[in-house]
Structures are given as structure tokens and as C-alpha cells.
Amino acid sequence: MLPSEHYVGGEFVRGDAAPVVVRSPSTDEVLAEIPGAGVALAERAAAANGVAARAMRALPVLRRVELVRRLAAAVRAEQVPLARLLTLESGKPIAESRTEVEYSASFFDNAAAAAEMAAGELPAARLADRRVLVLREPIGATVAITPWNFPLAMIARKLAPALAAGCSQLVKPAEDTPLTALAFARLFAKTAVECAAPPAAFGVVVGDPISIARAFIEEPSTRKLTFTGSTEVGRLLATQCAPRLLRTALELGGNAPFLVFADADLDRAADQAMLSKFRFMGQTCISANRFLLEESIADEFLSRLEARMRALVVGDPLSEATRVGPLINDAAIRKVELHVRDSVAKGARIRLGGARAEVAGLAPRFFMPTILTGCSPMMHCACEETFGPIVASMTFRTESEAVMIANAVPHGLAAYVMTQDADRLLRVAEALDFGVVGANDGAPSTAEAPFGGRKDSGLGREGGMYGLDAYVDLKYVSMRVRGC
Ligand code: NAD
């Protein structure tokens, strides 16, 4: 049976507000109607999260690490059912969903290792009789709001370091994809019991985002909000957190440039482009959005990319062969159509695709892998995330022109550079004003890296030691020592 209960204070509870209706993006079938969490339940969850933070703080590091390691194992053990649920609610091709489950487990592995290695400091003393002891303490109760495009991984990336650092975390997943989060809550509850960890250290409530976010932020014990989603909502939440001076971590939207220089290995570049552009049909924050191609190889690169794109199987995301499933909802496919229409109206040409793909018996939410040529920075496809399977390409003549176009957007999450010239690789990687650079690498996300953006793409980093630090408060104890 699909999960439909919220997980609050270590207990599964039914909601009391308007239902959240979860539909399959492929078939439009109603997968679940989850009675939503109203204001009272959200407030109760936030208060319980505060109480759980005290229990987590008291848990010795070894026990926290055990909890986090066991969560990695629990997630791996349930890879098949979790992946199926993830695909049902998000439309992510099943092979990718399995990869997401493994990716999620890797955040738990990594946070456990980071917590074991974490150490305070004793800076060199300036005075003979003074010692400054720098302590790392958990920041306390944290709340998280996550997007639909990685229903499990975005929770794991936040929760793993929170628990490892000794914090609690209460999550509100996206309304389009709450089922994986609720299924994970069952795994958490079982794992917490097995290792005698506080069962309320994690919680999930689903429902109206505005009232739930308000309850999370206004709860006096809440010490941090971590958000992954659009820049618009991130900005709004930052404003709501400001009066309380609440710590905020914001992982927001991107608009990734993908630079291909004439000296690149074009087959390798095309392979990396496929990884970046077609993971979840381009519905990821680090998906290549603007293809900047050196003029002399633009056509050759696109030929090689086109051959690969023609081989993509569009279809039922539950089928093993499928690489392109449905987009998440009607608004998403309308946005992709608008970007194609706008580009063509402003002078771009469609080299491949350009329209919805019909898949027999499934909802009209599939879009053909598409190549646009002759795009320019003023088109929608270049100034905002398209979040769809569109390769919007334009050409450049010089390295400095490429870097200038790449940086000339408000976002600064991920960028890619394809070249075999080692000097250029480093020069361009340094010049790109982005938090993540894929250098001949179309899939740079990995649990040990400090993932995060600049400018409108957000604040803070997640992953590895850097991710753990985001849940740590430093305290120093200044001691006077007699007899020195
Ligand atoms: P979204 O901002 O619409 O929603 C994200 C979350 O915020 C959801 O849980 C939603 O319910 C909630 N939300 C929406 N309005 C809210 C409000 N007024 N108050 C409080 N919460 C609210 O984004 P989305 O469409 O779900 O996700 C796609 C976006 O996320 C893209 O822009 C993508 O680039 C970004 N993203 C960023 C990263 C990253 O790590 N930087 C990762 C994945 C996705």
C-alpha cells in the first residue's frame, strides 16, 4: 500500500487538512490522496522537532554515526521498491531512479565518515596562560523544504549531515512527489528503533507549502531552514527567515552553460553533454541549459550529439529501456513549448524534435529530444532554466567571448567546459562564475563535493565535510591556565 501518513514526533499520523493528490505524470492516474497536514499538525511537528534536537545533541557521535550508516544500508536494501515509487510519482526513468537511491545512500555514507573525522581546534596561544578551545556543536532543530526533481536525494543530502552533526530535521517534500519521502519515513522509524536513536529526529509533513513553511519558521526552537527549489521561492523564504535571523541554506535554480571548444574530444564532449542534458529529461538544476559551441566545430559537435539523441528511447518510465519519460506536470511541458516557440520566433532553427512526443496510452506530457541552433542570449531558452530535453545552442569565436556569455546571467550554479587543452581547462574553470564546474565531466554531482551556487543560485554548500559544517555551530572556550 502506498504511504499516506505524516511522520511527526516519531509517530505516523493522519492529516486533517485538504488532501494532497499525487498523480502519475505518465498516466494521470491518481496514485494517492494524502490528507494534508494543517497548521496545527505542522506546528506540532515543528515543536516535536525542537524536542528531538535536544535528544540528538545528547547522542554520542558514535551512536549518531551508527544511525546514519544504518540509514545508508536501509536505503540500499530497499532500492528496488523505493526506485519504483520514485518513478511512479516523478516520471523519472526507472534506471535513473535506482541511481538516485544509490546516490542518496552515498550521502549517508559520506556524512557518517565526515562526522567520524570531525574535530575541534586548539589555535596557537598568543598569551602564555590562555588556551582557546574551539568546540563544534550541533546547531539544533532544522527544517527542510525540498523539490520534486530528486524526491529522495535532496532529503538525504540535507538529513544525513544534520543527523551526523547531532541535529534533528523536519522535512516538507514537494506536493508532486511526497510518496518517496513518506516511504523513507518508514525506513527511518524502523532504523531508529533498531539502534535506539531518537525516533523523532526526522519528521515529514505534506500539505500546503505556505502554511507549513510559516509553522516551521515561526517555531521558536527552529534554528535553521534549508531549502532546495526555485530562486523565487528561495528568496521569499529568506525574507521570512530574516526577522528571526534564522540560518538559511538555499540551493536554487541554475542556468548552466556548456562550453565546447574546438580542441575538445568531440565524442567525449557529446557523451558528457548527454549525461548533463538528459538526466531526468533536463529537469535538474545543473542540467546544461545553454550550449556554447566554438564556431568551427559547432555543426560537427551537434551531428555527434544528434546521433546520440536519436537513439534515446522515449516512453514509459517504468520500462528499463526508457531514457526519456514524461515531464513532471502540465506547467512544465507548457514551459518547454513556450521556449521552443519563443526561440523560433526570434530566429532560432529546429534541427531535431521541437514538439511533444506521442506515447501510446500515456498522458501527452512527453517531449521529443530537441536541438535548437542559432539561439541568442535574449531568448527564454537562454535567460532561464528550460527544465526539459532541449539543447539550445549558440556559437562563439574566442575564449573570452565564451566566458563572457557564460557568466552573463544572474545564476551561478553549474557550468561545463569541454577542451583537451589543460591550460585552457584551468583558465576557463577559474573564470566561470559558478559554484560547480564540470571539466570534461557532465555529471559532477557527488556526495563528497561542496555542492552549491553563487549569485541567484543560492547560499551555502552541501556535501562532505562542508555539508557537515553547515549543521555545526562553533563555540570557543577561553581558558586561563595557572602556572604557565
Ligand atoms: P519550487 O520552488 O516551486 O518548490 C520547491 C519546494 O518549495 C516545494 O517543496 C514546494 O512545495 C515549496 N514551496 C513552493 N512555494 C512555496 C512557498 N510560497 N513557501 C514555502 N514553500 C514553498 O521548485 P520546484 O519546481 O519544486 O523545483 C525545481 C527548482 O528547484 C528548479 O529551479 C531547480 O533548479 C531547483 N533545484 C535546485 C537544486 C540545487 O541543489 N541548487 C536541486 C534541485 C532543484
Side-chain angles (χ1 to χ4, degrees):
M1 208 180 67
L2 294 179
S4 64
E5 290 179 318
H6 312 263
Y7 184 57
V8 171
E11 289 175 356
F12 290 94
V13 295
R14 278 188 79 70
D16 50 2
V20 174
V21 180
V22 188
R23 285 177 188 277
S24 154
S26 307
T27 62
D28 266 339
E29 173 201 356
V30 173
L31 299 171
E33 287 196 37
I34 304 166
V39 172
L41 186 53
E43 287 176 352
R44 192 173 121 202
N49 188 46
V51 174
R54 294 203 290 276
M56 277 307 288
R57 186 189 181 91
L59 204 65
V61 172
L62 270 185
R63 300 269 311 286
R64 293 179 204 157
V65 166
E66 186 194 350
L67 169 66
V68 175
R69 281 202 203 294
R70 279 183 186 240
L71 285 169
V75 164
R76 285 197 174 97
E78 292 294 306
Q79 189 191 40
V80 171
L82 280 172
R84 186 180 157 77
L85 192 56
L86 208 157
T87 289
L88 279 176
E89 65 177 350
S90 70
K92 184 169 287 193
I94 188 74
E96 282 192 47
S97 294
R98 283 197 302 272
T99 304
E100 177 171 343
V101 175
E102 171 52 34
Y103 180 46
S104 305
S106 76
F107 283 110
F108 290 104
D109 290 339
N110 192 262
E116 273 188 326
M117 302 286 289
E121 285 173 56
L122 187 69
R126 291 169 63 87
L127 298 179
D129 69 341
R130 174 183 275 155
R131 299 291 180 276
V132 170
L133 204 61
V134 181
L135 306 180
R136 292 166 58 89
E137 299 187 344
I139 63 172
T142 67
V143 293
I145 297 180
T146 55
W148 51 263
N149 60 352
F150 290 93
L152 188 61
M154 292 303 103
I155 293 177
R157 194 161 77 179
K158 296 175 185 307
L159 178 66
L163 296 174
C167 302
S168 60
Q169 191 160 82
L170 174 62
V171 177
K172 190 210 77 63
E175 302 76 79
D176 281 322
T177 58
L179 298 173
T180 310
L182 297 178
F184 172 78
R186 290 180 182 173
L187 286 185
F188 180 89
K190 190 163 160 281
T191 309
V193 168
E194 281 166 7
C195 56
F202 169 66
V204 190
V205 287
V206 177
D208 171 53
I210 296 176
S211 57
I212 292 178
R214 192 177 309 122
F216 281 13
I217 292 169
E218 288 179 1
E219 159 59 36
S221 61
T222 300
R223 303 294 281 270
K224 171 172 181 153
L225 172 106
T226 168
F227 171 77
T228 297
S230 61
T231 299
E232 297 68 31
V233 175
R235 208 171 252 134
L236 196 70
L237 289 169
T239 313
Q240 291 173 18
C241 289
R244 283 207 52 210
L245 302 181
L246 211 57
R247 284 175 176 70
T248 47
L250 303 171
E251 296 286 353
L252 309 178
N255 181 350
F258 192 99
L259 279 57
V260 185
F261 287 94
D263 53 25
D265 172 334
L266 294 186
D267 279 317
R268 188 176 171 202
D271 287 340
Q272 298 306 313
M274 294 300 290
L275 285 178
S276 174
K277 183 73 245 184
F278 289 96
R279 189 163 65 131
F280 201 16
M281 296 79 80
Q283 298 177 114
T284 83
C285 53
I286 61 165
S287 182
N289 201 52
R290 298 170 288 151
F291 281 77
L292 308 184
L293 312 175
E294 190 161 347
E295 205 171 61
S296 59
I297 50 82
D299 190 56
E300 182 54 33
F301 171 76
L302 288 177
S303 298
R304 296 184 197 203
L305 191 62
E306 182 178 333
R308 287 162 173 78
M309 288 167 64
R310 284 186 184 276
L312 290 170
V313 176
V314 182
D316 180 353
L318 285 169
S319 156
E320 287 294 336
T322 294
R323 290 293 170 268
V324 178
L327 297 186
I328 186 72
N329 52 34
D330 290 336
I333 196 147
R334 280 198 299 267
K335 180 176 184 186
V336 171
E337 287 178 320
L338 169 73
H339 281 202
V340 172
R341 258 200 327 275
D342 170 75
S343 307
V344 171
K346 291 175 182 161
R349 273 165 292 111
I350 298 173
R351 176 172 173 148
L352 179 70
R356 292 189 192 208
E358 271 183 39
V359 180
L362 297 182
R365 217 166 273 130
F366 295 75
F367 206 87
M368 293 159 82
T370 293
I371 298 179
L372 300 174
T373 57
C375 296
S376 66
M378 298 313 290
M379 296 175 182
H380 283 311
C381 65
C383 18
E384 359 164 333
E385 297 177 294
T386 299
F387 250 51
I390 308 292
V391 170
S393 68
M394 57 188 93
T395 57
F396 65 84
R397 289 210 174 117
T398 64
E399 182 181 307
S400 57
E401 184 194 1
V403 169
M404 197 260 298
I405 298 172
N407 287 341
V409 290
H411 292 92
L413 185 56
Y416 301 87
V417 50
M418 304 290 132
T419 172
Q420 295 201 88
D421 177 337
D423 294 324
R424 169 172 277 157
L425 194 78
L426 197 57
R427 211 166 47 231
V428 173
E430 287 181 357
L432 288 167
D433 198 4
F434 292 79
V436 179
V437 175
N440 293 320
D441 183 2
S445 297
T446 178
E448 70 275 22
F451 188 92
R454 298 178 177 179
K455 304 194 286 184
D456 282 6
S457 293
L459 300 171
R461 294 294 180 268
E462 292 182 330
M465 269 299 182
Y466 319 92
L468 193 74
D469 284 347
Y471 291 93
V472 166
D473 224 354
L474 294 183
K475 174 192 279 175
Y476 76 85
V477 181
S478 178
M479 303 167 69
R480 291 286 180 170
V481 187
R482 270 186 301 196
C484 290

